[in-house]
Amino acid sequence: MAKKAGKSYQFAGFSALYISVVLTVILGLFSFYQGEINFLHLSFFFIVCFVICFLLLQLRLEKLIYRKIKDIYDEVSLLDATSLSQQQVSTDMETLTQQIGLFAENKKLEIETLKIRENYRKEFVGNVSHELKTPLFTVQGYILTLLDGAMKDKSVRKKYLKRANKGVERLIYIVKDLDMISKFEVGGLQLQKEQFNITKLIQNVFDLLEMKAAKKNIRLLFDINYKAIEPIEVFADEERIQQVLTNLIVNSIKYGRKDGSIEVSVEHLIKNKVIVRVTDNGEGIEPQHINRVFERFFRVDKSGSRKEGGSGLGLSIVKHIIEAHNEKIYVESQFGIGSEFSFTMEKAK
Ligand code: ADP
């Protein structure tokens, strides 16, 4: 309850006034019939009566309201009632109503957040088991077939073992991705920031992915010849940024067009920032899916992506890494034309 409790003397004041007036009138009438009415005494009585009534009422009221509200808080156990004892007790009904309203609103918000989290958790557990089920059953299928006799056939044995191993590799790949995401989410992954040449790192990633791109005859290009200009030095965790670039370029290859191209550019954005853009001329993303691509396990085409070896976690990891650097990631895409993923980085001083 951020709002400081306000005190109101109105209720006690008016009540004391009514009581004092009534008692003074009664005393006045009584004195009148006795024939010894003294207005000075009556005024004195009125004042003393008013002060005593006011103090008693105010004190009782504060005690009563404090006790009642504490009881309510204790009963619903929504708030540690000790936090109330440090606060001034309000006897002003409006402030009280406001406080209770605010309290209820905060609790409602808390409950809603918990509900969303609970749904998210359920969905997450469902997604994880679904993702793990397919490769697990594949592995089990090959092993059972081998045990059922295929083991005796030398050529089949090797083939099945290789396939089972592929399934295991996929399991490891998914578990590693999940492990990284959960580490990011609990803040357990520390960044090792250092100064490095970003275009050199991009070239390294190009070299690593050359074969993969060649399978679809996709060219990996820079927008300009960065060797001919001043090196662009950035300050970030080089290993993690390599992973960001790898995930983005691998996606551009996976969802890229055969014989297409992927272009990477590094531009100076503002004084201390650069922006790295990865642009492809692949299948693109439909507008209704764009906002969801960074969600864990989100895939536009579930079967297609799985065929390509995707788990739906790649972009979620990318976003975590960029946000851990306090930077931003953007996506622009036109369905059927291509996509551009870009992220900002801090320039080295
Ligand atoms: P996946 O493992 O499925 O690739 P990601 O998290 O990397 O998971 O991507 C999520 C989804 O976003 C993909 O399944 C795909 O539908 C879409 N996507 C990502 N990158 C691209 C791209 N360059 N072009 C078109 N679609 C993309």
Side-chain angles (χ1 to χ4, degrees):
M1 300 228 171
K3 197 176 188 304
K4 206 169 159 28
K7 256 196 188 193
S8 165
Y9 302 102
Q10 223 178 26
F11 181 81
F14 277 114
S15 305
L17 187 73
Y18 298 147
I19 296 170
S20 311
V21 169
V22 171
L23 288 181
T24 313
V25 169
I26 293 172
L27 188 68
L29 285 173
F30 188 69
S31 313
F32 179 72
Y33 285 118
Q34 294 269 308
E36 47 187 74
I37 189 158
N38 182 332
F39 283 104
L40 195 70
H41 284 172
L42 275 181
S43 313
F44 182 69
F45 174 81
F46 175 79
I47 292 167
V48 171
C49 186
F50 177 79
V51 171
I52 293 173
C53 286
F54 175 77
L55 288 176
L56 276 175
L57 280 170
Q58 183 69 20
L59 267 170
R60 294 289 306 141
L61 202 64
E62 284 187 14
K63 273 228 153 65
L64 176 87
I65 289 181
Y66 170 67
R67 212 181 52 229
K68 286 273 179 236
I69 295 215
K70 196 167 179 290
D71 280 353
I72 293 171
Y73 279 24
D74 277 345
E75 239 165 73
V76 290
S77 307
L78 287 172
L79 182 81
D80 180 9
T82 50
S83 67
L84 255 189
S85 55
Q86 286 130 30
Q87 286 194 24
Q88 195 185 12
V89 176
S90 173
T91 52
D92 172 18
M93 277 301 152
E94 205 180 312
T95 317
L96 266 176
T97 318
Q98 269 177 15
Q99 285 183 344
I100 300 288
L102 200 71
F103 171 73
E105 194 132 311
N106 283 343
K107 291 296 145 192
K108 212 170 118 192
L109 212 75
E110 225 169 86
I111 291 166
E112 265 163 24
T113 318
L114 286 174
K115 270 190 195 157
I116 292 172
R117 261 196 228 156
E118 174 62 10
N119 280 344
Y120 192 59
R121 194 190 60 80
K122 274 189 203 152
E123 204 177 293
F124 180 66
V125 174
N127 279 330
V128 172
S129 49
H130 181 80
E131 266 332 296
L132 297 179
K133 233 162 45 191
T134 323
L136 259 178
F137 287 156
T138 311
V139 174
Q140 194 191 33
Y142 285 119
I143 291 175
L144 287 178
T145 320
L146 284 168
L147 287 174
D148 279 350
M151 207 159 44
K152 290 181 194 119
D153 185 333
K154 216 174 162 191
S155 61
V156 172
R157 185 169 64 196
K158 196 159 182 195
K159 193 165 88 188
Y160 282 13
L161 279 174
K162 271 188 177 166
R163 287 187 187 169
N165 187 47
K166 269 226 150 98
V168 175
E169 273 172 8
R170 174 140 179 84
L171 283 170
I172 294 172
Y173 167 84
I174 296 169
V175 172
K176 269 191 180 164
D177 276 1
L178 279 171
D179 187 45
M180 183 169 298
I181 287 187
S182 64
K183 276 193 183 138
F184 266 114
E185 289 187 351
V186 294
L189 264 188
Q190 293 299 320
L191 297 178
Q192 310 284 326
K193 285 192 181 179
E194 57 188 319
Q195 179 174 337
F196 62 91
N197 183 331
I198 182 70
T199 51
K200 224 168 151 183
L201 182 72
I202 297 168
Q203 184 59 56
N204 279 350
V205 178
F206 277 179
D207 294 345
L208 286 170
L209 298 176
E210 207 176 60
M211 296 265 277
K212 198 175 175 68
K215 279 187 191 157
K216 282 175 96 171
N217 199 25
I218 291 176
R219 286 171 307 147
L220 303 176
L221 311 160
F222 277 113
D223 62 326
I224 56 166
N225 180 9
Y226 286 94
K227 282 188 188 136
I229 62 165
E230 281 257 301
I232 304 171
E233 296 283 323
V234 292
F235 187 67
D237 186 323
E238 188 170 4
E239 211 184 307
R240 304 265 169 244
I241 297 298
Q242 169 156 358
Q243 184 164 16
V244 167
L245 287 164
T246 308
N247 286 8
L248 292 180
I249 298 172
V250 164
N251 275 352
S252 288
I253 298 172
K254 280 197 302 198
Y255 309 107
R257 169 170 313 142
K258 222 171 163 278
D259 306 322
S261 63
I262 297 164
E263 189 182 274
V264 181
S265 69
V266 185
E267 291 161 32
H268 294 276
L269 194 64
I270 48 170
K271 209 169 131 240
N272 60 341
K273 299 274 180 205
V274 290
I275 185 160
V276 180
R277 296 182 203 276
V278 178
T279 316
D280 64 57
N281 50 8
E283 64 188 52
I285 307 162
E286 283 172 282
Q288 71 268 30
H289 298 309
I290 288 190
N291 288 336
R292 301 198 57 196
V293 290
F294 294 107
E295 281 175 28
R296 292 169 179 166
F297 295 112
F298 178 81
R299 283 180 296 219
V300 173
D301 170 12
K302 315 261 179 234
S303 58
S305 162
R306 203 171 291 126
K307 212 167 54 215
E308 292 277 3
S311 63
L313 294 170
L315 285 180
S316 172
I317 291 175
V318 164
K319 192 164 187 263
H320 272 298
I321 295 176
I322 298 299
E323 284 178 355
H325 281 82
N326 286 325
E327 299 292 343
K328 295 245 180 305
I329 176 140
Y330 308 96
V331 52
E332 273 175 52
S333 187
Q334 260 184 296
F335 189 56
I337 293 185
S339 313
E340 180 184 285
F341 286 82
S342 53
F343 61 92
T344 58
M345 289 190 80
E346 188 185 332
K347 277 188 209 171
K349 296 201 174 77

